[in-house]
Amino acid sequence: MEDIQLNYDYKLQIIVPNTEDVGGTPQTIARGFDNITEAINEVLYQTSFLSDKGWGSSYVTGGQLIFTLTGVRVLGDAAQDYIFSDKVYMGFGAARDVQLLLQIPKSTAGQPTILTCNATLAKITRSGGAANQPCAISVEIHINGKPEITAGG
């Protein structure tokens, strides 16, 4: 039987800056989040050369890796408390910057891929939903630049 890849095999940690903004503490992003989506926001160069007789061509010339997480708010979880804090939610610029450690489950070679990178927390939603349900939350983690990639963990 074929093996399937499960989303709970993703391992995410953000490095939360400490109060002196020196160093930081890794916090696992998992509790309360029940959905993760990985996508590359691609930059396209689209053109139609004379030789194409009106037909177009597309070239991927760049991109940005983005992870979207959704779930419910869990008070007391260090990663969630940081992401959804007033300082981050109401802040711009450096207030949204974190370092990310990410283990992507089995690649085609059967080994995990480890990404280490700088990232920005974006499109934070810290409440929503029906009155008698937990607060629905979401956050996008935008990778800044090319991540450092280590295959095989």
Side-chain angles (χ1 to χ4, degrees):
M1 179 172 196
E2 305 268 338
D3 195 13
I4 59 172
Q5 186 164 301
L6 299 170
N7 283 321
Y8 64 70
D9 288 332
Y10 277 83
K11 309 270 189 274
L12 292 101
Q13 287 187 315
I14 57 171
I15 307 299
V16 174
N18 65 22
T19 54
E20 294 84 30
D21 289 327
V22 177
T25 306
Q27 299 295 337
T28 300
I29 300 174
R31 190 139 189 240
F33 291 105
D34 60 10
N35 193 301
I36 183 170
T37 304
E38 175 185 358
I40 294 182
N41 184 10
E42 296 177 338
V43 176
L44 298 176
Y45 168 66
Q46 295 180 295
T47 188
S48 180
F49 298 118
L50 295 174
S51 60
D52 293 334
K53 307 280 190 229
W55 292 97
S57 296
S58 295
Y59 301 89
V60 178
T61 60
Q64 184 180 32
L65 189 57
I66 297 173
F67 292 89
T68 302
L69 294 117
T70 60
V72 297
R73 182 71 170 97
V74 176
L75 298 171
D77 178 79
Q80 280 202 16
D81 287 350
Y82 179 76
I83 293 167
F84 301 107
S85 68
D86 288 340
K87 176 184 174 185
V88 174
Y89 181 72
M90 299 291 188
F92 303 114
R96 298 287 188 98
D97 293 342
V98 295
Q99 290 180 306
L100 180 72
L101 305 172
L102 172 65
Q103 178 176 309
I104 299 172
K106 302 172 191 168
S107 66
T108 54
Q111 296 294 319
T113 299
I114 308 296
L115 302 180
T116 306
C117 47
N118 293 319
T120 298
L121 303 174
K123 298 185 181 178
I124 298 170
T125 303
R126 63 181 185 179
S127 66
N132 64 348
Q133 295 298 309
C135 288
I137 57 169
S138 65
V139 62
E140 288 184 5
I141 302 173
H142 291 230
I143 307 307
N144 295 325
K146 183 178 181 181
E148 179 181 319
I149 301 170
T150 307

